[in-house]
Amino acid sequence: MIHITMKKYFFTITLIFVTALYTSSCTDLFGGFFEDDEAVLQKDIDKYFTQEQQDKANTAKDASYITKEEKKVIFYCNLARLDGKAYMNAMLGDLQNSDDYYVRSLVETLDTIKDLPMLYPNEQLCKAAEAHANDMGATGDFTHDSSDGTPYNKRIAKYYKGKYTSENLAGGSNEAYFIVNLLLIDQYTPSYGHRKNILSKKFSRIGVAIRDHAFYTYICVQDFSDDAGDKK
């Protein structure tokens, strides 16, 4: 199973990544994510989520302005919001008995998650995420501020005027499975800010962009908001 590979390498990768010494892509160290692996993962999803639940979570299905992998980022986030315990079983089953503090924390958190509002892709938020991903990709930076010093909330507001906004960044992989699960486990982030963003009741809109990065090989930006911007 693909989960075994992730279990073997996950914590080393996260430590290197957070200490900004990460110079190889997650794909290289994880050994890649091939079609057969994806088929196995889908079987696990089918085991724990009904087709009706999967259809509900697949809010980005018809979003023509994002890639297949970006759609998967939204899909996996929504599965976690729909049923946290089922998500843990389907996506991270091999880690359930881990004694790592952050993994145990995630298990406890996901046990409480059930039927949160789905995240719907928003084209303007995707443009905001894309702009920042391209900016960081060119400069090699890894920060929520734009290269011209603009804070993330003001940057997002140029594209979408939500009442509540936030942002996640994940470097090193262009594969949705690793992106979402690295952010959910949120190792060495005591505030669990990335996890909280993905699982926050406040957010119902999301923009996602995965782009090349000069230092981390790939960068993923997730921009979150409520639906207030829909009315403006």
Side-chain angles (χ1 to χ4, degrees), residues 20 33 77 102 121 123 135 176 178 187 228:
F33 189 70
C77 287
Y102 293 90
E123 187 169 5
D135 185 22
F178 299 120
Q187 200 170 25

Side-chain angles (χ1 to χ4, degrees), residues 71-84:
K71 291 178 181 181
K72 285 183 187 177
V73 168
I74 298 174
F75 178 56
Y76 296 157
C77 287
N78 277 334
L79 288 180
R81 292 168 70 91
L82 193 60
D83 189 330

